[in-house]
Amino acid sequence: MTKDSKLKNQVLSSLKWVAMGKIVTQILRWAMTFWVIRLLSPDDYGLVAMSDVLFGFLNLLLGSLFASSIIQEKNLTKQSLKQLFGAIIVSHLGFFALQYSLADVAGSYYKSDIVSQILKVNAWCFIILALEVIPAALLAKNMEFKRVSIIAAISNIVAAVSTLVMAYLGYGFWSLVIGEIIFIGLRAALTFAAKPIDFLPSFKINDITAMLKFGGMLSIQSVLFYVFMHMDVAIAGRIMTPTEVGLYAIGLQVALMPQKKIMPLLRQVAFPAFSQIQDQPKLIANYVLKAQRLCISLTLPIFWGLASVTDLVIPLLLGEKWLGAVIPTTIMLMIMPLRFSEELFNPALKSLKKVNHMLVNLCFMVVIMFISIMVAARYGATGLALAWLCGFPIAYLIVAWRNSQTLNTQFSQFVKLLLAPMLSGAAMFAVVYGAKSFIEADIVVALLLQITLGGITYLGLMLLLDRASIKEVLSMLKRNG
């Protein structure tokens, strides 16, 4: 078996286990999430969304500093791991102290004492996470995704049940905060048990300076990425009421649900896989194009199909009090395939250590979206969603062109990949939207009829315009079945 075939089989096997873990947990997790949303108020979600800006930023910064370096490094020694463990302990303690001290500052910015209280509580997660970094990175490096999937399934289910119980008992926003702490704590404990650290930390850094430099560059990239992803809520939290922020946050959460479940799956497998062939740039370029073609063909009907039925899905799953989130959710779903596609470039770029290139990409996206959000934030939740619809396609085309140059692929070839799925998706959306006035039935029946009609439209047009992609998807599923 060739190295290429062995890697392909390893990737497919890893994807199978990660996908199985996601499917098993997400049906239950989604059901409980929607139930929790029905129990809580827009204010609850608005407060948690505002506190997550700081906590998520610091968490992402630490995650990029160490884990990616461990996965990417080909010559990893015991001494390097000892020094990394020492650096992880020091940095996590430092970030705990940093968030705790900044909690009151964040609360003052948002004019909310509750935001300050939330940040002081979830700051303790940094101490818990220090024990997870090395075990989790080693499991990913060795592509042991069966164990990773089992850990994720157990942690997700326990956290979801805990959140639902607390929301039912009337704990409000605290149910979301404590549920997240339970998830992080259980996942860290199980990961450590699966890959225990059997050595003491060393507080020297002479053997890991190159790894820390690489991780530091990725951390800078993570800072920009986090600004890009959260500046909408950060700006809106200052201008809009918690209720308006909550409506937008739920619209964004619903829109991001498919991406949050699919993208980590691909990223979790893709980066270790690309790292194994980092010395074969042509092979990486071929895999990038293939991944883009397959993922756009699969994800676009999910996002745009859901966008075409949000007027039924939101009141059915979340209740009438969330009707204000219908338009923002629909708009955000329309832009999600491009956001998904943009993120799909990063594992390959990271494996090639193209961190500077990724930083420039993010600078373009941050500047364009900052201007767009500042103009639109005064128009409430719908205005924020429109900011993404107007600004992100411009940023996406610039970044996709730059990535094509770096990966030695033709930009015209990449754009061609988008045409068939987008034409098919647009027709699907138009058909479903046009059929709404003709379908008079119970909301569940109407939803099922519209989904069926949309699916038939998309699949039929894809068979006419891009039969090769459909055949490749079916072939991949058959090989991995």
Side-chain angles (χ1 to χ4, degrees):
M1 182 182 292
T2 65
K3 183 178 180 180
D4 185 18
S5 299
K6 184 178 179 181
L7 178 62
K8 187 182 295 184
N9 289 336
Q10 194 174 13
V11 169
L12 288 175
S13 176
S14 299
L15 281 172
K16 178 182 72 175
W17 278 108
V18 177
M20 285 174 61
K22 294 288 183 184
I23 292 170
V24 168
T25 58
Q26 285 314 314
I27 294 176
L28 179 61
R29 183 87 190 231
W30 279 346
M32 291 189 177
T33 297
F34 291 133
W35 195 351
V36 169
I37 292 173
R38 295 178 72 94
L39 291 170
L40 301 183
S41 69
D43 277 11
D44 291 325
Y45 276 91
L47 291 167
V48 173
M50 288 185 281
S51 65
D52 275 348
V53 172
L54 177 60
F55 173 66
F57 165 69
L58 296 178
N59 192 20
L60 183 67
L61 189 61
L62 275 179
S64 302
L65 184 58
F66 299 106
S68 296
S69 299
I70 295 171
I71 294 171
Q72 201 276 339
E73 180 63 40
K74 280 198 167 185
N75 302 311
L76 196 63
T77 66
K78 187 75 169 284
Q79 184 61 27
S80 296
L81 288 174
K82 287 181 177 181
Q83 294 185 10
L84 281 168
F85 191 25
I88 288 167
I89 291 173
V90 171
S91 60
H92 279 69
L93 287 172
F95 272 59
F96 160 76
L98 179 62
Q99 177 166 311
Y100 203 92
S101 63
L102 289 176
D104 290 335
V105 177
S108 176
Y109 174 81
Y110 289 117
K111 301 175 184 177
S112 171
D113 291 336
I114 294 175
V115 170
S116 175
Q117 294 171 28
I118 292 172
L119 287 169
K120 288 180 179 178
V121 170
N122 61 21
W124 292 93
C125 290
F126 290 113
I127 296 175
I128 300 171
L129 287 167
L131 298 176
E132 181 192 33
V133 178
I134 291 177
L138 291 177
L139 287 173
K141 185 180 181 69
N142 299 329
M143 301 189 79
E144 297 180 53
F145 292 109
K146 179 179 179 180
R147 301 169 84 176
V148 173
S149 298
I150 293 171
I151 290 169
I154 295 172
S155 304
N156 271 293
I157 291 172
V158 172
V161 172
S162 302
T163 302
L164 177 59
V165 170
M166 286 186 289
Y168 184 77
L169 294 175
Y171 283 89
F173 60 86
W174 284 116
S175 59
L176 300 174
V177 178
I178 303 302
E180 182 68 12
I181 294 173
I182 290 172
F183 169 72
I184 290 173
L186 184 57
R187 186 189 64 190
L190 293 174
T191 302
F192 189 88
K195 204 80 168 177
I197 296 175
D198 57 356
F199 48 83
L200 294 175
S202 170
F203 295 97
K204 299 178 181 179
I205 60 169
N206 54 295
D207 289 341
I208 60 171
T209 51
M211 295 175 67
L212 290 178
K213 183 178 179 180
F214 175 64
M217 292 297 292
L218 286 177
S219 294
I220 295 172
Q221 190 259 348
S222 295
V223 169
L224 280 176
F225 182 74
Y226 198 79
V227 170
F228 168 71
M229 289 294 292
H230 293 86
M231 61 183 171
D232 47 5
V233 172
I235 294 170
R238 184 72 174 177
I239 299 172
M240 293 156 50
T241 66
T243 298
E244 289 175 314
V245 176
L247 288 173
Y248 174 74
I250 286 300
L252 185 60
Q253 181 176 336
V254 172
L256 283 171
M257 242 177 214
Q259 182 177 2
K260 282 186 173 180
K261 308 313 173 187
I262 299 171
M263 194 65 224
L265 179 156
L266 296 174
R267 193 163 48 224
Q268 190 176 16
V269 176
F271 179 45
F274 280 128
S275 294
Q276 291 186 21
I277 56 170
Q278 58 187 270
D279 55 346
Q280 301 178 64
K282 288 185 178 180
L283 188 58
I284 287 179
N286 290 334
Y287 277 139
V288 166
L289 285 176
K290 179 179 287 189
Q292 287 283 356
R293 184 174 73 252
L294 293 178
C295 289
I296 290 170
S297 299
L298 286 170
T299 59
L300 191 140
I302 295 174
F303 289 114
W304 287 13
L306 185 55
S308 67
V309 294
T310 48
D311 59 320
L312 300 178
V313 171
I314 295 292
L316 178 65
L317 296 180
L318 308 185
E320 298 292 328
K321 65 183 177 181
W322 293 99
L323 283 174
V326 169
I327 295 177
T329 304
T330 302
I331 295 171
M332 291 302 297
L333 282 165
M334 296 302 292
I335 206 66
M336 282 302 152
L338 296 186
R339 288 181 60 168
F340 190 100
S341 173
E342 187 279 322
E343 285 194 49
L344 200 57
F345 282 111
N346 291 337
L349 293 169
K350 193 190 297 185
S351 71
L352 294 171
K353 293 190 174 181
K354 301 291 184 180
V355 184
N356 289 336
H357 173 88
M358 295 166 69
L359 286 172
V360 175
N361 282 351
L362 273 171
C363 287
F364 277 114
M365 293 195 294
V366 167
V367 170
I368 292 170
M369 287 310 306
F370 177 78
I371 295 170
S372 186
I373 290 168
M374 287 300 294
V375 171
R378 71 189 71 179
Y379 301 108
T382 299
L384 280 180
L386 286 171
W388 284 98
L389 186 63
C390 296
F392 189 73
I394 298 171
Y396 172 80
L397 289 175
I398 294 172
V399 168
W401 177 80
R402 283 176 44 78
N403 290 342
S404 297
Q405 301 298 308
T406 299
L407 295 169
N408 295 316
T409 60
Q410 294 183 0
F411 180 62
S412 58
Q413 186 179 10
F414 171 72
V415 172
K416 188 177 179 181
L417 300 177
L418 303 175
L419 293 179
M422 286 196 166
L423 288 173
S424 302
M428 172 191 69
F429 188 91
V431 168
V432 173
Y433 192 84
K436 290 180 184 293
S437 58
F438 298 101
I439 298 176
E440 296 182 3
D442 175 79
I443 186 171
V444 176
V445 175
L447 179 61
L448 292 174
L449 288 174
Q450 290 178 31
I451 290 173
T452 302
L453 184 60
I456 292 172
T457 302
Y458 182 82
L459 185 59
L461 282 174
M462 281 296 290
L463 287 172
L464 289 174
L465 299 174
D466 192 7
R467 187 183 295 265
S469 290
I470 300 298
K471 286 184 176 179
E472 191 164 2
V473 170
L474 293 175
S475 175
M476 182 182 68
L477 293 174
K478 189 180 295 183
R479 287 199 308 268
N480 202 35

